[in-house]
Amino acid sequence: MYRLLILKELKNILLSPKFSATLAVCSILILTSMGIGIQEYNHAVSQYEANQSLARQNMEQANGWGRVTQSLHRKPDIMQVFVAGLHYDVGRLSSINRTRDVKLQRSPYSDETLFAVFRFIDFTFIVQVVLSLFAILFTYNAINGERENGTLKLAFANPVSRIEYLVSKCVGIWLGLVIPLCIPILVGLLIIQLTGLPVSGEDWSRILSFLGLSMLYLTFFVVLGIWISSLTRKSSLSFLLLLVFWIASVLIIPRLGVTAAGQVIPTESIAQIEAKQAAFEKARWQDYTRQLTENMRERADNMTNMTEEERASYQEEKEWDWLEQDDAARKQLQTDITNNNRLLLEETRNKQVIQQALAFNLARVSPASSYRLAAMQLATTDMGMKTRYEEAMRVYRDNFVELVKRKQDETGQTGGFKINIDSNRGMKIDFDRNNQGIDISEVPLFTEPKPTLKASLVSAIPDFGLLGLFILLAFGGSFFAFTRYDMR
């Protein structure tokens, strides 16, 4: 009987205009989003490779280790084709040197503002917004529509139990919704394979996990629609209730969760943090300049009563000591600024972690939030992407600065300057211009901090579990309501 009921439901859906419309819309949206995603990925890869080449060329052309700088570019990921997440909002590039701390800048939307106006629509958005609405259109009259048409009593004229009828409804409608979804997905995956994109075995596992998550999300809306249809006697009323729930779940609750968390746990903005960093940096540079001026005045005073020959000899004897003293003070200044910047960022980040956890927990009341958060975790385009990259870049920066310092000590290429003070000619600054080309073979390579598939799945387990719980609650509600449904 299950098979007969499922085939009957599936046949009704396949022959209805809703199926044709769903297939057409899904095909257009999914294939268009994948096509644009593949194009954007290839463009990002080209930029990444060009930046890597330019950074290496700049290091090779440096005429001394003191002038070596590096820049790191966030590596594109094939999963951004399916789940854009924060990829287009987070900066892609950061300079690496001893005078500045790491900071990701130049996000794709900041470089190409036109795309920020018409934001990229990825597969996640299509499932979360469009297909969930289609699930409502497929199910809002699943029970009460049968009653209004008089076919519900005819169905139960046969030896059919209510649970058999309910399960058959769920399975038939689910298949009718998933079939038009699977066709363009398979075509899109075939296009990815034919274009030769570097999709690893782990990437395919992530894609399959993401597709399974999407099916779980759609299952909830299918069961929810049947539940609401079992609670009401008018299909118009059930559609209105489902539409209100969809608006609240997809558009309102996620934003309310973020707003409420921001009120409960306020954090400083980037502008406020940068203002504090700039104030500290300005104060330290003023202290350094004042101390340098005092040192130069003291050195000049020590040579006041000397003859010209004595002054030249004394200056030649002391100039490198003075250079090392000034250079040590400058390096300490840069270390203090870097440490202060990191301390301010760490304090703010700790508050943001608590704020984000609260916001996400409040937003997870909505299945749409659970779906998006889990999808971003699987694609590694989640909220932690920026932090992961900046922390990895800071570790690389420390190693890079240490290498540059060691090479300067080994080669004597300070890349610095000498200050000569004469009572008659005044102060003269000579930059070290005798440095030769350098060998950058020992410069370390940057490794992208991408979580493993296992780590991503572990992070997404709570959201998978919540979606499963929502489905069980909706199905339990459907069963309870339908067993008491008046078929007259």
Side-chain angles (χ1 to χ4, degrees):
M1 186 59 68
Y2 276 115
R3 180 174 177 272
L4 184 61
L5 291 172
I6 291 173
L7 289 177
K8 175 255 181 187
E9 190 67 35
L10 188 57
K11 180 180 179 181
N12 291 337
I13 291 176
L14 294 178
L15 296 177
S16 68
K18 289 188 293 187
F19 178 82
S20 302
T22 303
L23 178 60
V25 172
C26 287
S27 300
I28 294 172
L29 290 179
I30 293 176
L31 294 179
T32 301
S33 71
M34 286 191 178
I36 296 176
I38 292 171
Q39 181 180 358
E40 289 296 322
Y41 172 78
N42 289 329
H43 179 62
V45 170
S46 300
Q47 288 184 323
Y48 172 78
E49 292 175 348
N51 178 77
Q52 296 292 93
S53 177
L54 180 61
R56 185 173 184 84
Q57 181 180 352
N58 290 338
M59 285 193 293
E60 291 175 344
Q61 292 177 351
N63 61 352
W65 283 101
R67 297 185 178 90
V68 172
T69 60
Q70 169 70 297
S71 63
L72 297 181
H73 197 286
R74 182 164 54 82
K75 188 175 182 180
D77 194 304
I78 190 63
M79 286 301 297
Q80 72 191 53
V81 174
F82 299 90
V83 189
L86 300 182
H87 165 73
Y88 292 95
D89 301 280
V90 173
R92 294 173 294 178
L93 190 67
S94 176
S95 60
I96 303 295
N97 56 66
R98 64 184 180 183
T99 61
R100 293 289 181 183
D101 196 15
V102 168
K103 182 180 179 182
L104 284 172
Q105 297 176 319
R106 294 182 58 185
S107 68
Y109 280 154
S110 67
D111 287 346
E112 300 175 8
T113 54
L114 177 62
F115 292 99
V117 177
F118 303 102
R119 298 179 72 87
F120 175 67
I121 298 178
D122 59 359
F123 189 89
T124 309
F125 177 86
I126 295 172
V127 174
Q128 180 183 354
V129 177
V130 180
L131 292 179
S132 61
L133 187 57
F134 273 121
I136 290 176
L137 295 175
F138 271 57
T139 58
Y140 76 95
N141 61 348
I143 303 299
N144 51 26
E146 297 274 9
R147 186 197 65 81
E148 291 174 340
N149 295 332
T151 55
L152 188 60
K153 288 193 295 183
L154 291 176
F156 281 92
N158 299 292
V160 180
S161 67
R162 296 202 178 202
I163 186 62
E164 285 180 325
Y165 187 83
L166 187 65
V167 172
S168 301
K169 273 283 183 183
C170 292
V171 175
I173 294 176
W174 187 86
L175 290 174
L177 181 63
V178 167
I179 289 174
L181 176 62
C182 288
I183 295 174
I185 289 177
L186 293 176
V187 174
L189 295 179
L190 181 61
I191 292 174
I192 290 177
Q193 188 69 22
L194 294 177
T195 53
L197 295 181
V199 185
S200 64
E202 182 175 296
D203 291 330
W204 283 117
S205 298
R206 289 181 184 274
I207 292 172
L208 292 177
S209 300
F210 166 67
L211 294 178
L213 176 70
S214 301
M215 299 304 172
L216 201 63
Y217 176 70
L218 292 179
T219 301
F220 166 75
F221 276 94
V222 169
V223 180
L224 175 70
I226 295 175
W227 181 18
I228 301 300
S229 183
S230 302
L231 287 173
T232 58
R233 296 181 61 81
K234 295 289 186 180
S235 58
S236 57
L237 177 59
S238 61
F239 178 76
L240 179 61
L241 293 175
L242 285 169
L243 185 60
V244 170
F245 179 88
W246 180 85
I247 293 173
S249 175
V250 176
L251 303 178
I252 298 178
I253 294 178
R255 287 156 181 79
L256 283 180
V258 173
T259 303
Q263 295 296 323
V264 175
I265 307 176
T267 59
E268 293 182 320
S269 65
I270 295 297
Q272 291 174 317
I273 297 172
E274 290 180 346
K276 288 185 177 181
Q277 292 174 341
F280 180 84
E281 182 176 355
K282 181 180 179 180
R284 287 292 288 113
W285 274 109
Q286 289 176 344
D287 293 341
Y288 170 77
T289 303
R290 183 169 55 254
Q291 185 62 45
L292 184 64
T293 303
E294 292 177 358
N295 291 341
M296 289 189 293
R297 185 181 297 112
E298 182 180 348
R299 295 163 189 170
D301 292 342
N302 292 335
M303 295 185 292
T304 302
N305 299 324
M306 295 182 181
T307 63
E308 191 70 26
E309 293 181 358
E310 291 174 339
R311 185 182 298 109
S313 176
Y314 181 78
Q315 185 170 335
E316 183 178 357
E317 177 185 354
K318 292 292 185 179
E319 63 180 353
W320 288 112
D321 292 336
W322 293 342
L323 177 62
E324 290 178 355
Q325 180 182 352
D326 296 339
D327 188 58
R330 180 176 55 82
K331 289 180 179 178
Q332 184 61 46
L333 161 72
Q334 293 167 347
T335 300
D336 292 343
I337 292 174
T338 299
N339 291 339
N340 177 74
N341 291 347
R342 292 186 179 182
L343 180 61
L344 289 174
L345 288 173
E346 184 178 358
E347 291 176 351
T348 303
R349 188 177 297 117
N350 291 336
K351 290 183 179 179
Q352 288 176 341
V353 168
I354 300 174
Q355 183 192 68
Q356 290 171 9
L358 177 60
F360 292 160
N361 289 333
L362 294 175
R364 282 186 172 102
V365 175
S366 162
S369 298
S370 295
Y371 169 69
R372 176 165 285 277
L373 292 174
M376 291 168 63
Q377 290 286 350
L378 292 174
T380 67
T381 55
D382 55 293
M383 292 292 294
M385 180 178 66
K386 182 175 184 290
T387 301
R388 286 195 301 271
Y389 263 93
E390 288 188 340
E391 288 180 352
M393 287 179 176
R394 287 190 180 97
V395 173
Y396 179 90
R397 175 189 178 278
D398 293 340
N399 295 333
F400 179 79
V401 170
E402 180 63 28
L403 172 68
V404 170
K405 182 178 181 302
R406 177 164 56 83
K407 285 296 183 179
Q408 283 182 295
D409 294 338
E410 292 175 357
T411 60
Q413 296 176 342
T414 63
F417 54 88
K418 295 185 290 185
I419 302 177
N420 297 316
I421 303 175
D422 188 278
S423 58
N424 296 324
R425 291 177 295 178
M427 182 177 66
K428 180 181 179 182
I429 301 177
D430 294 325
F431 289 91
D432 185 2
R433 303 183 184 274
N434 298 321
N435 294 326
Q436 304 298 320
I438 60 175
D439 179 14
I440 65 171
S441 60
E442 294 186 38
V443 174
L445 298 176
F446 177 68
T447 303
E448 287 72 21
K450 183 176 181 178
T452 62
L453 175 61
K454 180 180 179 181
S456 299
L457 287 173
V458 169
S459 300
I461 281 177
D463 296 300
F464 272 93
L466 279 174
L467 286 176
L469 178 61
F470 290 143
I471 292 173
L472 290 176
L473 291 176
F475 185 79
S478 301
F479 177 74
F480 181 81
F482 189 59
T483 54
R484 290 160 176 75
Y485 193 76
D486 186 1
M487 301 182 189
R488 294 173 296 176

